[in-house]
Amino acid sequence: MDQFSRRGFLRTTVALGGLSAAGLLTACSPSSGGGSADGGKVVRTQLSWLKTVTFAGFYIAEEQGYFKEEGLSAPLLAGGPNIPDAVSVVTAGGADVALVDFGALIKARESEADLVAIGAVFQESPGGFVSLASNPVRTAKDLVGKRIGLSPGAEVMVEAILKINKLPVRYERVPVGAGTTALTKGDCDVMACYVTAQPLALEQQGVRVVSVTQGQLGMPDYALVMAVKRADLAADRARFVGYLRAVIRGYRHNLKDPALGTKLAVEKYGKDLGLDPAAARRENEVQAALIRGATGDRGLGSIDPDRLAGPVYAGLRARGVSTLPPVSSVLDTSLAKEALIG
């Protein structure tokens, strides 16, 4: 989810009524590690953003006792505009798991941060585009020549998609501010977005829209990749297997019962954010397809090394990541396999 400016996304979210002013102050600094009060092991997760319904599976894993069954205490550390990126928090010892994308994970290696991915919440990135139903963008070819509403840095994704599809890199960049008024007013033909956010807000306004993910346009990616320090993994692998098993159980529960995850996000974990219950429920329903991906429940939380080495790495190259390490050096698939069996 890091393809877009987080600050830009925050402005958009506030404009859409997703956060109250008090919610902007809820991001907290990570606490130090150690054992839990009952003597169990601790796995601290640095979330990539504020405590919205995106992280519903984590909330359920806590509330249903899935972490506890694994002998774990699992604090969830909110991200936000005033919190360092998750990789920095983990490498500094402020958390044990960073929720990142592969671009951020690979970039971290350049500063000698030895992190390894053990799984991913989203099999498909929610990054994509939204357009009006009267002038829809459904394919990569439809982007050519369009006026595209973009926040700073998002042009990289547009140009990568066009290159991957061997299309002319020809479009008009329209800088967009908060909200979606540039699209509804006709200042642009299509906007870069999260398909779990802006399109749903427009639907609530009665606007008929078409949304498409970057994966549907030929540039698939994972999101909310769970990354840990290689040294921590070597020191206590079982701790992270149990953690991953609890997270997978939490999201499996959420897929079956989106009402519970929504309720926990709105009434407890994201209580200070002023989340709208109906909007959060709709977001939770839409993100279900991205969490399942093509593998469905059987591959929940896992990462396919061939897919990573193939189309995901191709997308990173198109976005300008020139040095890509062997997949085996940034991914350990054994934990997800064990967690899914157990």
Side-chain angles (χ1 to χ4, degrees):
M1 293 188 184
D2 291 338
Q3 291 96 323
F4 305 110
S5 162
R6 285 177 178 167
R7 293 182 187 278
F9 180 57
L10 175 62
R11 289 193 298 270
T12 299
T13 306
V14 173
L16 299 180
L19 299 179
S20 65
L24 304 184
L25 305 177
T26 60
C28 60
S29 299
S31 59
S32 59
S36 63
D38 61 2
K41 296 182 178 181
V42 177
V43 179
R44 299 157 297 164
T45 303
Q46 179 58 60
L47 304 179
S48 57
W49 196 240
L50 304 174
K51 291 182 179 180
T52 65
V53 76
T54 301
F55 309 107
F58 289 93
Y59 311 150
I60 291 174
E62 175 64 26
E63 298 298 321
Q64 296 294 111
Y66 299 154
F67 286 124
K68 187 175 182 180
E69 288 178 25
E70 300 294 340
L72 299 174
S73 172
L76 302 175
L77 311 175
N82 299 316
I83 299 298
D85 65 272
V87 167
S88 297
V89 173
V90 169
T91 54
D96 305 291
V97 179
L99 297 185
V100 296
D101 63 14
F102 273 107
L105 177 58
I106 290 169
K107 183 178 180 180
R109 290 171 58 92
E110 298 174 2
S111 57
E112 300 183 349
D114 194 9
L115 299 181
V116 59
I118 61 172
V121 173
F122 282 76
Q123 297 293 303
E124 293 288 351
S125 170
F129 298 89
V130 60
S131 55
L132 299 180
S134 57
N135 184 24
V137 167
R138 303 180 188 276
T139 68
K141 187 176 181 180
D142 293 336
L143 290 172
V144 178
K146 288 291 195 296
R147 298 171 300 151
I148 305 178
L150 299 171
S151 59
E155 62 272 10
V156 173
M157 181 181 70
V158 177
E159 293 175 14
I161 288 171
L162 294 173
K163 291 174 184 176
I164 285 173
N165 287 278
K166 296 180 170 52
L167 293 167
V169 181
R170 188 176 72 251
Y171 67 97
E172 179 184 342
R173 184 183 186 281
V174 179
V176 294
T180 55
T181 55
L183 182 63
T184 55
K185 287 174 59 180
D187 294 335
C188 62
D189 302 308
V190 58
M191 287 182 63
C193 71
Y194 287 105
V195 298
T196 52
Q198 291 91 336
L200 308 188
L202 287 165
E203 287 178 3
Q204 279 193 313
Q205 299 169 29
V207 180
R208 294 181 60 244
V209 298
V210 170
S211 61
V212 60
T213 66
Q214 64 182 64
Q216 291 172 313
L217 298 181
M219 195 173 74
D221 202 356
Y222 293 94
L224 297 192
V225 174
M226 292 169 274
V228 304
K229 288 193 283 191
R230 195 180 306 274
D232 289 349
L233 187 58
D236 193 353
R237 182 180 177 279
R239 177 169 61 125
F240 293 104
V241 172
Y243 167 86
L244 190 52
R245 181 160 43 233
V247 172
I248 290 172
R249 289 181 68 190
Y251 275 98
R252 183 175 288 126
H253 190 139
N254 186 55
L255 292 173
K256 293 179 180 178
D257 180 16
L260 175 59
T262 303
K263 181 181 176 68
L264 290 171
V266 172
E267 299 182 5
K268 183 173 183 178
Y269 290 86
K271 183 178 180 180
D272 293 334
L273 303 181
L275 300 173
D276 176 77
R281 173 62 183 258
R282 177 66 176 140
E283 179 181 347
N284 203 8
E285 292 170 346
V286 170
Q287 73 182 9
L290 306 176
I291 292 168
R292 285 193 176 96
T295 61
D297 287 1
R298 71 180 185 279
L300 207 61
S302 62
I303 296 171
D304 181 349
D306 293 332
R307 183 171 182 254
L308 177 58
V312 174
Y313 263 24
L316 290 172
R317 289 190 195 94
R319 298 205 296 267
V321 182
S322 56
T323 303
L324 292 168
V327 165
S328 59
S329 70
V330 294
L331 173 64
D332 188 336
T333 62
S334 66
L335 286 84
K337 290 177 182 177
E338 188 172 336
L340 285 164
I341 292 172

